[in-house]
Amino acid sequence: MANHKSALKRIRGNETKRLRNRHQHKTTRNAIRKLREADKQEAETLFPTVVSMIDKLSKRNIIHNNKAANLKSRLAEHVAAL
């Protein structure tokens, strides 16, 4: 158990941030899944928003920068191949 008031506040803040990060990560994963299942026209319209979501996760260190780059690259290849 925390001994300091600031430690208790830190615990509360960490939990809030953890839930927010989890929600954003799951939302992005669902968007990626939706893009992979979409047809050509729908995929082209979804692609910029999904890339933006991935960039935001990367910027906030929710996912690693290299993972973000790999995801964007694979998705770009997928959309181009449709």
Side-chain angles (χ1 to χ4, degrees), residues 40-55:
K40 175 85 171 161
Q41 187 176 9
E42 189 181 356
E44 285 176 342
T45 57
L46 279 175
F47 183 68
T49 58
V50 172
V51 166
S52 173
M53 292 168 86
I54 292 170
D55 285 336

Side-chain angles (χ1 to χ4, degrees), residues 7-82:
L8 293 170
K9 289 191 282 188
R10 175 64 82 178
I11 289 168
R12 286 197 310 267
N14 286 345
E15 180 65 13
T16 304
K17 288 174 189 154
R18 184 185 74 84
L19 293 173
R20 186 183 310 121
N21 289 343
R22 211 169 125 195
H23 172 73
Q24 290 172 343
H25 196 186
K26 185 68 175 173
T27 305
T28 304
R29 284 200 309 260
N30 287 337
I32 290 170
R33 247 179 243 124
K34 188 175 176 185
L35 184 132
R36 285 195 175 125
E37 294 170 358
D39 61 326
K40 175 85 171 161
Q41 187 176 9
E42 189 181 356
E44 285 176 342
T45 57
L46 279 175
F47 183 68
T49 58
V50 172
V51 166
S52 173
M53 292 168 86
I54 292 170
D55 285 336
K56 285 176 188 166
L57 291 181
S58 171
K59 183 176 76 174
R60 296 180 183 134
N61 291 322
I62 298 171
I63 61 172
H64 196 275
N65 293 338
N66 289 350
K67 180 183 174 96
N70 288 336
L71 281 171
K72 291 190 296 186
S73 173
R74 295 285 302 272
L75 289 174
E77 282 180 8
H78 175 74
V79 171
L82 289 175

